[in-house]
Amino acid sequence: MIPNLNNLPVYDTTGVNERIARFCSRSIKSSSKVEGLKLALSMIDLTTLEGKDTTRKVQQLCYKAMHPHDTLKNIPTVAAVCVYPAFVKEAKKALHGSDIQVASVATAFPSGQSSLEVKLLDTKFAVDQGADEIDMVISRGEFLAGNYQYVFDEIAAVKEACGKAHLKVILETGELDTLDNVRKASEIAIYAGADFIKTSTGKIQPAATLPVTYVMLNAIKDYYLKTGKMIGMKPAGGISTSKIALQYLVMLNEVLGEKWMNKNYFRFGASSLTNDILMQLVKSETGIYQSINYFSKD
Amino acid sequence: MQKNKDNSMFKASWTYNEAPESTDHIQIKKKYDLYIDGKFSKPIKGKYFDTLNPSTNEKIASVAEATSEDVDAAVQAAKKAFESWSKLTGKERGKYIFRIARLIQERAREFAVIESLDGGKPIRESRDIDIPLAANHFFYYAGWADKLAYAFPNRNPKPIGVVGQIIPWNFPLLMAAWKLAPALATGNTVVLKPAETTSLTALKLAEIIHESGIPKGVVNIVTGAGETGAAIVNHPDVGKIAFTGSTNVGKYIQKATAGTHKKLTLELGGKGANIIFEDAAIDQAVEGIINAIFFNQGHVCCAGSRLFVQESVADIVIDKLKNRMETLIIGNPLDKNTDIGAINSKKQLQTIENYIKIGLNEGGEIYQPDCNLPKNGNWCAPTLFINVSQSHRIVQEEIFGPVLTIQTFRTINEVVEKANNTPYGLSAGVWTQNGAKMFHLTQKLNAGVIWGNTFNKFDATSPFGGTKESGFGREGGLHGLKPYVKFD
């Protein structure tokens, strides 16, 4: 049932930004840095969502997912590969034998401007192709028009269509404008059955930001306090460097803590982040920053 | 002591490696002399005392103890320097003050490290707050030096003469800046005494002032404890006293200066009310509580040490506060990740511990997070006393440590009455998203500074000071010039 949205916590942008500044001023060094980098790598949803995607491009990406940098020992693989529904089957095949998940965007991604029927078909298609995770978009137009019940029902219907696949609900926070809206949309998504809430499609600027993620983490925290159920979080888009990724992890560490510090409950939707993390890991092992050309671009 | 472990459900698992700020770039002498008449000179009686690192209680340096003879020499130097300094044009005075500001900026890192080393505050605070603000105060008042006629139109402001300034140990360099900058800008000469536990940054400032080329005798810095301060207060050639410190000492100074020509400003203790309404942004308010009481280990005269939470949100606010406290990092003040540093002195630690005992004896419900305090040095875990009332001593008296009392309220009138029901009147904070309520409250609360949806924010352009037993006179902003001038 749709939660009471009239009594939600509100957010003060100045206060949120001050809190974020504190996370960003944490100094992460030596072994704790390596620990953080490896954790971040293991949480990446390696993503390609382009009109020009092809089967071979997806195959290449999948190889990269399984072999991020073979000359580095003791590094994890990424958590998942995220593609359009048309490439799920290929990705599934390419990743066979690994424990890397295949995530597929669905529901008329990225705008979500289609009928519920089409969105459910889109979802079912991806699931039938073998997707382990579905990244859906909410109807931002309906949300901003105040039709919260519509948004709620749509998410609930998609959740049902997912079957065993995990559902990540993309709020597209760049279109919601205020932190209070982000909180409201998080609440709707969580109560409608989201396993994860996700900031952005990556197609709208701004994509993931620390303040927006902070608000969503708080929604997850409050839900846990009320129900004891854990919801995952996925910031996506714009997280391109290790430094920023570590800032997200510091925030996760200090807001939700231990239980959430793994790929089952936190993901980064990113593509170029992987190589930056690898570069930092090589630096921590050898003391030298290698040229970007030593890191494979798939 | 009872410790509640239920709040570790969101406990952080990723521990950050130590990230200490390096100390190899700082220069500390083994022995510090008095800065009088443009020279570093030995105290007449030759006595020195130790200044300790409060996080280890190891000795850092010896500092000269100024007796009344030394104070007299300093006042005489200041009196002589006043003759020419007061006649210098405002523009020329401003140049020296600007130079001091720039030199502080240039050596900000060194100042930050020494401040944390000598005083125990986290490097994050000394680096991001104390030192930049100190430089800002000098910049700000340097700008006023040649514009005094515009600050006080048609009133012909004139400097007073020799001013005696006595500063506390909680913000050593910042308080020195608050006092020195307006005094110099208005054409006075100064005898300044830092607190005995935290003299080092004031003595470093003396080096910078010397380097600035300011005429000798304009600024004199004498170190020592209460007796040195008394010698300044009682010196007949001092025209004004500016004091920041405890209310008890403030009362003594007011008695001592009564019936004399001496002007006086006092910035004393406080027991600030931090009021959280049900319509506040709760997560930010929780951060506000942390910042209000645990900033600088609670060694803040304007700390929000009395929390008032509206009953309808009391449980959630207290739960969130406890959860948040579990993530506070307590330890080495020089570590960049430290949130809460060391208690400034053994004596202050005893005072705080005594109040915690009083609170427990009064039946207060105590909460402290599950944290490991370092073995050596002076440490106190951040502490809450929940479900206390106006009648508890820990609610009435200033503790000056990381101890917060929590009371609940039901209506606006009730909380206004309780917030004002204290001999102090320095600060208050109000948390609500309702603008009308905010403005209503700010009119009803009797405090010198009232923060809305934030706490412990300072700016050189903003006047700061108290009402009732929190003192009188303002520092900062245009108002901060007034105590240092006289009119025809």
Side-chain angles (χ1 to χ4, degrees):
Chain A
M1 207 180 65
I2 189 164
N4 178 6
L5 301 174
N6 294 322
N7 209 11
L8 288 179
V10 288
Y11 289 89
D12 174 57
T13 314
T14 311
V16 169
N17 288 340
E18 273 181 25
R19 184 78 185 105
I20 301 302
R22 289 289 294 274
F23 296 130
C24 295
S25 72
R26 290 288 191 217
S27 176
I28 310 295
K29 300 241 188 262
S30 53
S31 67
S32 56
K33 184 175 178 184
V34 171
E35 192 188 338
L37 290 171
K38 285 185 180 172
L39 186 61
L41 182 61
S42 76
M43 291 169 159
I44 290 176
D45 281 5
L46 201 59
T47 302
T48 182
L49 294 171
E50 291 176 350
K52 64 183 185 214
D53 282 348
T54 58
T55 309
R56 286 181 179 163
K57 158 73 189 175
V58 170
Q59 284 169 348
Q60 289 162 12
L61 193 74
C62 289
Y63 191 84
K64 172 78 173 175
M66 292 187 288
H67 304 269
H69 199 70
D70 283 343
T71 51
L72 264 178
K73 302 296 167 216
N74 301 322
I75 58 163
T77 63
V78 300
V81 166
C82 182
V83 293
Y84 271 114
F87 303 103
V88 168
K89 201 172 202 171
E90 205 47 59
K92 217 37 211 174
K93 207 162 90 189
L95 294 170
H96 185 74
S98 74
D99 65 351
I100 298 171
Q101 308 283 296
V102 173
S104 171
V105 296
T107 71
F109 182 94
S111 73
Q113 297 286 21
S114 189
S115 67
L116 178 60
E117 201 183 356
V118 169
K119 292 181 189 182
L120 292 177
L121 277 174
D122 196 14
T123 307
K124 277 179 190 143
F125 173 70
V127 173
D128 289 345
Q129 294 287 299
D132 304 296
E133 302 171 356
I134 296 295
D135 289 25
M136 73 168 287
V137 291
I138 66 164
S139 295
R140 284 88 74 189
E142 297 291 344
F143 176 87
L144 292 172
N147 298 329
Y148 304 129
Q149 189 68 49
Y150 181 95
V151 178
F152 180 89
D153 292 344
E154 195 176 61
I155 298 168
V158 174
K159 169 71 182 171
E160 207 185 323
C162 281
K164 280 183 184 165
H166 272 231
L167 176 64
K168 304 195 199 103
V169 178
I170 303 173
L171 310 181
E172 195 64 301
T173 52
E175 290 187 341
L176 301 185
D177 217 24
T178 66
L179 294 178
D180 289 342
N181 272 347
V182 171
R183 174 69 198 229
K184 199 180 277 180
S186 302
E187 210 76 8
I188 293 170
I190 290 172
Y191 278 88
D195 297 300
F196 263 74
I197 49 176
K198 175 175 169 184
T199 59
S200 324
T201 59
K203 305 293 182 194
I204 294 283
Q205 288 301 323
T209 64
L210 285 157
V212 154
T213 307
Y214 176 71
V215 169
M216 293 167 75
L217 291 176
N218 274 297
I220 292 170
K221 186 173 190 166
D222 289 343
Y223 184 71
Y224 180 75
L225 284 170
K226 268 193 206 128
T227 66
K229 288 181 198 153
M230 289 170 68
I231 304 295
M233 173 72 209
K234 178 177 173 185
I239 304 162
S240 55
T241 66
S242 306
K243 190 178 171 186
I244 303 173
L246 290 176
Q247 288 168 348
Y248 276 89
L249 286 186
V250 165
M251 180 160 75
L252 180 67
N253 192 39
E254 296 189 27
V255 176
L256 291 178
E258 190 164 20
K259 288 186 184 173
W260 272 264
M261 293 285 281
N262 58 67
K263 64 180 175 183
N264 295 331
Y265 291 101
F266 196 83
R267 295 283 178 83
F268 288 108
S271 42
S272 53
L273 174 63
T274 314
N275 275 350
D276 195 69
I277 289 176
L278 294 170
M279 197 192 280
Q280 296 288 338
L281 284 171
V282 170
K283 155 78 169 38
S284 72
E285 206 159 88
T286 63
I288 296 160
Y289 275 115
Q290 288 185 337
S291 150
I292 190 72
N293 289 327
Y294 283 92
F295 301 92
S296 56
K297 289 179 185 164
D298 279 305
Chain B
M1 204 169 283
Q2 178 201 345
K3 275 192 180 172
N4 189 340
K5 305 247 171 173
D6 292 338
N7 293 285
S8 54
M9 63 172 85
F10 298 110
K11 202 163 171 58
S13 60
W14 182 29
T15 50
Y16 314 130
N17 284 17
E18 286 179 13
E21 175 73 37
S22 99
T23 53
D24 52 13
H25 59 89
I26 63 164
Q27 290 176 357
I28 299 180
K29 291 190 265 188
K30 280 196 175 141
K31 204 172 183 184
Y32 279 93
D33 292 322
L34 307 169
Y35 184 65
I36 296 173
D37 205 17
K39 287 188 299 284
F40 286 94
S41 48
K42 295 193 182 329
I44 290 168
K45 295 235 167 107
K47 273 202 254 175
Y48 290 83
F49 60 92
D50 293 346
T51 188
L52 307 178
N53 176 345
S55 68
T56 58
N57 279 330
E58 283 162 11
K59 178 181 168 180
I60 306 174
S62 301
V63 176
E65 185 180 323
T67 55
S68 55
E69 289 90 339
D70 298 305
V71 169
D72 184 54
V75 173
Q76 295 314 325
K79 195 176 166 188
K80 191 156 167 261
F82 180 72
E83 289 167 24
S84 49
W85 178 250
S86 59
K87 291 190 186 74
L88 212 59
T89 62
K91 195 178 148 199
E92 287 303 311
R93 286 201 308 273
K95 278 187 193 171
Y96 290 110
I97 307 170
F98 273 125
R99 208 173 290 157
I100 293 168
R102 285 196 303 270
L103 286 166
I104 291 175
Q105 282 188 325
E106 279 170 22
R107 290 168 68 178
R109 238 180 106 204
E110 186 180 9
F111 268 109
V113 171
I114 297 176
E115 199 73 307
S116 287
L117 208 59
D118 197 26
K121 65 175 64 202
I123 186 80
R124 183 186 61 77
E125 290 177 9
S126 49
R127 179 196 65 203
D128 297 349
I129 299 165
D130 290 59
I131 311 304
L133 264 180
N136 277 353
H137 268 265
F138 280 106
F139 276 119
Y140 177 76
Y141 282 108
W144 272 120
D146 62 351
K147 302 172 193 72
L148 295 175
Y150 301 94
F152 306 103
N154 301 318
R155 298 194 67 190
N156 194 16
K158 290 197 181 100
I160 293 164
V162 178
V163 301
Q165 305 183 320
I166 300 168
I167 59 174
W169 46 259
N170 56 346
F171 295 93
L173 182 74
L174 183 57
M175 290 302 111
W178 278 28
K179 298 229 174 332
L180 278 172
L184 296 177
T186 45
N188 299 283
T189 56
V190 177
V191 176
L192 178 137
K193 184 192 92 67
E196 68 271 26
T197 60
T198 55
S199 306
L200 289 187
T201 44
L203 292 163
K204 274 275 155 192
L205 182 64
E207 291 175 11
I208 275 185
I209 286 169
H210 192 75
E211 208 177 308
S212 77
I214 204 166
K216 62 177 189 178
V218 171
V219 178
N220 304 276
I221 295 182
V222 292
T223 43
E227 283 178 22
T228 314
I232 296 174
V233 170
N234 294 318
H235 198 291
D237 289 336
V238 170
K240 179 207 152 52
I241 297 292
F243 171 76
T244 297
S246 72
T247 294
N248 279 341
V249 177
K251 285 177 179 173
Y252 163 80
I253 293 176
Q254 194 165 13
K255 278 179 202 150
T257 54
T260 72
H261 65 291
K262 288 171 198 169
K263 288 182 68 160
L264 179 64
T265 48
L266 298 172
E267 203 266 87
L268 309 175
K271 194 77 182 172
N274 199 8
I275 303 167
I276 314 236
F277 284 98
E278 60 184 2
D279 55 5
I282 297 293
D283 290 311
Q284 284 74 72
V286 168
E287 281 310 305
I289 299 168
I290 299 276
N291 190 37
I293 186 62
F294 302 131
F295 175 52
N296 198 25
Q297 296 74 248
H299 303 327
V300 184
C301 43
C302 55
S305 47
R306 288 185 298 154
L307 177 65
F308 292 95
V309 194
Q310 199 157 16
E311 276 191 20
S312 54
V313 290
D315 289 343
I316 185 81
V317 167
I318 293 167
D319 280 351
K320 287 195 169 197
L321 180 60
K322 287 177 176 176
N323 282 328
R324 174 70 177 93
M325 282 165 72
E326 293 291 335
T327 64
L328 290 171
I329 300 175
I330 301 144
N332 181 5
L334 286 177
D335 194 306
K336 289 171 210 158
N337 290 326
T338 293
D339 295 315
I340 300 182
I343 300 300
N344 186 269
S345 65
K346 210 172 247 174
K347 194 175 146 210
Q348 186 57 29
L349 180 63
Q350 281 162 359
T351 304
I352 298 166
E353 283 173 342
N354 192 37
Y355 272 113
I356 291 178
K357 258 185 221 143
I358 292 172
L360 287 169
N361 288 339
E362 287 177 318
E365 178 191 337
I366 195 173
Y367 176 81
Q368 292 178 326
D370 191 14
C371 57
N372 297 320
L373 299 177
K375 286 206 177 67
N376 299 322
N378 314 318
W379 301 93
C380 179
T383 304
L384 306 179
F385 274 105
I386 305 159
N387 290 327
V388 288
S389 66
Q390 291 290 101
S391 307
H392 283 76
R393 264 186 75 192
I394 48 168
V395 173
Q396 295 164 349
E397 297 174 21
E398 185 180 39
I399 299 172
F400 222 62
V403 181
L404 178 69
T405 62
I406 305 180
Q407 300 175 74
T408 58
F409 69 94
R410 295 152 299 173
T411 64
I412 291 188
N413 286 339
E414 180 189 3
V415 76
V416 168
E417 191 180 8
K418 283 179 171 171
N420 288 337
N421 177 18
T422 165
Y424 296 111
L426 191 52
S427 74
V430 180
W431 297 81
T432 169
Q433 293 296 96
N434 181 327
K437 197 188 279 177
M438 179 79 77
F439 285 111
H440 177 71
L441 259 288
T442 50
Q443 286 178 349
K444 297 269 183 182
L445 292 172
N446 191 357
V449 190
I450 300 171
W451 285 290
N453 289 338
T454 188
F455 214 101
N456 278 338
K457 286 283 179 301
F458 309 97
D459 193 280
T461 64
S462 170
F464 182 92
T467 62
K468 300 197 283 187
E469 288 191 20
S470 291
F472 47 80
R474 294 291 176 262
E475 294 181 301
L478 176 59
H479 306 65
L481 292 166
K482 208 175 166 194
Y484 291 99
V485 294
K486 58 184 183 191
F487 303 111
D488 287 337

